Amino acid sequence: MIFDTHSHCYWDTILPRIDEIIENMREKWIMKAVQIGCDIESSHKAIALAHRFPDIFYATVGFHPEEAQDFIFDSDILDTFEKMIQENRDSVKAIWETGFDFHYIDGTDGGKRKADLENLSEKAKSQIENQKKWWIEQWKLAHKYDLPLVIHTRDAGEATLEFMKENHINRCVMHCFSEDIDFAQELLEFSDEIYFSFSGILTYKSAQKIQETAKNISLHRILIETDAPFLAPQAVRGTVNEPANTRYTLDKLIELRSESAQEIEKQVYENSLRFYGLVN
Ligand SMILES: [Zn+2]
């Protein structure tokens, strides 16, 4: 049994085919998939899908750091998320996604080069401040409702580590993990409630450092995801990704690790249930 811990099936390239998508999941033994909200509108859509397919789809609500960077913290938006949680306790299982994304901040020429963190412009500094404020407020909200937090980090590894330790952010998953093993080890030493989720990127030839992490960290800390409709695994690269393709990522994980296929499949599924609070 397989659990896709992160997808966006409300996306217009998937939603019109949703019955076929569910059928494809069944065929590949993908039992559950969590639908991730990135802002108010998509969080509503994620919840609607969870209501339409109970016990198969669940939802998360939250504000993505790439959106948050140019958005001064607004408590009305946070209140809207809080209301969505209160009214949908059965389907909302985490706050997603928050964290740091320095890929597009001022000075990167729209993501063409890495930000020079030693010499940030005033605008870049305020974009980072916005991301920090959204992150901390969403962490407080997660805490209040006993929900885990889903963290996105891109081009911001060191800042992410520092911020998580400083603010004791310990019940979370590092989504679409793309850092190296040292980063993972440092977080594992800091908390035993942190999970690492591997996407279809794990199957790419260029992903050696990610594969090394997936091979060596504790199996108890691993989740898998598609990030559908994005990041289709190598075997189906270039197509619209869907939860059924979580199977390819699991197969890669099995190829990399020393435990038996059954043990890996079972443990990763149990990790997913535990992380999202779906076990008693
Ligand atoms: Zn995503």
Side-chain angles (χ1 to χ4, degrees), residues 6 8 36 38 96-97 175 227 230:
H6 180 130
H8 308 265
I36 306 300
C38 299
W96 204 298
E97 30 184 302
H175 132 71
D227 206 7
F230 315 106

